[in-house]
Amino acid sequence: MANEQHLALLKEGIQLSWNKWRAKNFVTKPDLSEANLSQMNLNEADLNGVNFCRANLSDASLSRANISGADLSGVNLSKANLSRANLIGAVLVEANLNNVDLSGANLSRANLSSADLRKANLNGVVFIETTLYKANLSGLDFTKAAISRANLTEVNFSETNLSKLNFNSFDLRGSDFTNANLTNIQALETNFTGAILTGACIEDWHINSGTNLANIVCDFVYLSQRKQERRPSSGNFAYGEFAQLFQKSLETLDLIFRNGIDWDAFAYSFKKLEVENQGAQLDVQSIEKKGDGILVVRVTVSPDADKAKIHSEFIQGYEFAAKALEAQYQARLKDKDTLISKHEAQINRLFDIVEQQGSVQKALAENPRKVSNYDQRYSKFAGGNIDANTVNTDQIGGNIHNNDA
């Protein structure tokens, strides 16, 4: 049961009473176990190390509260606001976190074994060395959470969006990925032993020979989102068939291009890879058009090749070459524009000369006796000398005679 004095101090107000008391009595570990704190405003409260075991905190507001090291075992936190809360090292075993706002919260080293997190907001949540053993994460969007070195054995990930997450070297034994989105995840050296993958989308997932697919339960999977490219196309996998099929596919590497391929950059990067990874036995197996402008180049590699390293090196080489080639192209365009400008200036000058010649010809033809009031003998015109008494210019075309005595 809760300590009545501690409970009274908490209800007096966070800033006016509770936080001041905690600052003076930081050694004391408050006991609020089994207390009814539903809908209470505990924003920015110092709740470090508090015993909340089996308390009711439903609809409570704990935004930016310090709850590090607190015992929240069996606590009802449904619909509570825990945004930006400090939950480092907190114990939330079997806690009800259904529909909780955990955005920006830090759950590093927290224990959420068997906790229910369905419908929780996990945007920006930090799960470093967090224990989620047997936790229920069904139907969540996990893509904006930060996760590293966490215990994810026997977790319920059914219907969960896990795309692009890094699960390298994770222990995912016995976890349920039914209908989960595993698109483009990193799963090198990952242990999927006994996991359930029926209906999961494994488009462009990255696994290697160290990925353990033993005893996986899987009737079928999808190789493309929106439940397209079902494998097998009809019926279900026989027991062990999934592991056999996808372990064999480890000898290929998929290079994905979403905005077309610069083949010069591709050739440069691929040749560089061959030189630097001579034992990888690289060879282009196929080029597939996936729709929406996506092209997939499938490359065969030796079974013992480091696919993650090769993929990373190819992308770096390709992006470097593409930028260099684009810079050269822009330089050529600039040189071409300069050359065109010079040509245009010369052409315009020639047009001016031709226009001047045409004006003089017209004036001489219309009034041969009054072309000029000046003595134009030996004056220069179009690069030659003209005698105004007798003009004979091939540049103008024809002979012009002045018979005026």
Side-chain angles (χ1 to χ4, degrees), residues 117-376:
L117 287 93
R118 287 174 297 170
K119 299 181 181 179
N121 180 355
L122 300 182
N123 287 349
V125 176
V126 178
F127 290 105
I128 297 177
E129 298 181 1
T130 306
T131 298
L132 289 156
Y133 171 69
K134 288 190 175 182
N136 190 347
L137 303 174
S138 176
L140 298 179
D141 184 352
F142 220 88
T143 59
K144 294 181 180 179
I147 186 164
S148 176
R149 303 186 301 277
N151 180 351
L152 300 177
T153 55
E154 298 187 42
V155 174
N156 182 358
F157 283 117
S158 60
E159 309 283 347
T160 300
N161 183 7
L162 301 164
S163 63
K164 299 182 181 179
L165 288 178
N166 186 344
F167 290 117
N168 289 342
S169 301
F170 272 61
D171 187 351
L172 300 172
R173 286 175 299 164
S175 289
D176 185 354
F177 296 97
T178 302
N179 298 326
N181 183 3
L182 303 178
T183 300
N184 209 19
I185 67 165
Q186 297 289 326
L188 309 180
E189 311 292 331
T190 303
N191 189 354
F192 284 100
T193 300
I196 303 171
L197 269 74
T198 298
C201 176
I202 58 172
E203 179 182 1
D204 302 325
W205 72 338
H206 299 282
I207 58 177
N208 63 1
S209 57
T211 304
N212 192 338
L213 303 177
N215 301 321
I216 278 184
V217 178
C218 183
D219 292 338
F220 59 90
V221 291
Y222 295 99
L223 303 184
S224 178
Q225 296 187 56
R226 297 184 294 275
K227 295 189 176 181
Q228 296 177 344
E229 294 192 48
R230 186 185 189 274
R231 295 292 185 277
S233 55
S234 61
N236 295 329
F237 287 121
Y239 181 77
E241 191 174 6
F242 171 86
Q244 183 180 12
L245 175 64
F246 285 94
Q247 285 288 355
K248 185 177 181 180
S249 72
L250 293 176
E251 298 178 10
T252 64
L253 172 69
D254 288 348
L255 303 173
I256 303 166
F257 301 85
R258 303 187 185 281
N259 298 303
I261 300 177
D262 185 328
W263 288 110
D264 289 333
F266 182 95
Y268 164 83
S269 186
F270 195 80
K271 190 65 180 177
K272 186 170 180 289
L273 270 184
E274 287 183 315
V275 171
E276 296 177 354
N277 299 273
Q278 294 183 9
Q281 303 173 16
L282 303 176
D283 191 25
V284 175
Q285 182 186 77
S286 64
I287 301 172
E288 302 176 27
K289 188 174 182 180
K290 294 288 189 178
D292 296 329
I294 297 174
L295 290 171
V296 177
V297 178
R298 184 154 291 157
V299 179
T300 58
V301 297
S302 61
D304 58 344
D306 188 340
K307 290 173 64 178
K309 175 177 174 289
I310 290 172
H311 183 271
S312 177
E313 288 178 355
F314 174 84
I315 294 300
Q316 290 178 10
Y318 179 84
E319 291 177 349
F320 168 80
K323 288 178 181 178
L325 290 168
E326 177 64 20
Q328 290 180 12
Y329 175 70
Q330 294 298 333
R332 288 173 187 167
L333 281 181
K334 186 176 181 181
D335 292 343
K336 185 178 179 182
D337 290 342
T338 302
L339 186 61
I340 289 172
S341 298
K342 290 180 179 179
H343 287 170
E344 287 178 345
Q346 292 173 352
I347 290 169
N348 289 336
R349 184 167 174 271
L350 290 173
F351 274 123
D352 289 341
I353 292 171
V354 171
E355 190 175 332
Q356 291 173 14
Q357 291 175 340
S359 299
V360 172
Q361 284 182 320
K362 182 178 180 182
L364 288 172
E366 291 178 351
N367 197 350
R369 297 178 183 276
K370 296 181 179 179
V371 172
S372 175
N373 293 325
Y374 299 96
D375 184 356
Q376 297 183 13

Side-chain angles (χ1 to χ4, degrees), residues 43-101:
N43 291 337
E44 301 181 7
D46 183 357
L47 303 170
N48 175 43
V50 172
N51 179 9
F52 283 108
C53 190
R54 296 183 300 281
N56 181 10
L57 284 161
S58 61
D59 287 303
S61 186
L62 297 112
S63 179
R64 301 181 301 279
N66 179 11
I67 321 174
S68 58
D71 186 354
L72 295 137
S73 301
V75 169
N76 180 9
L77 282 157
S78 62
K79 300 182 181 179
N81 179 6
L82 288 165
S83 61
R84 290 177 285 175
N86 178 2
L87 287 155
I88 296 175
V91 178
L92 294 121
V93 175
E94 297 183 348
N96 180 0
L97 294 160
N98 196 302
N99 209 14
V100 169
D101 183 1

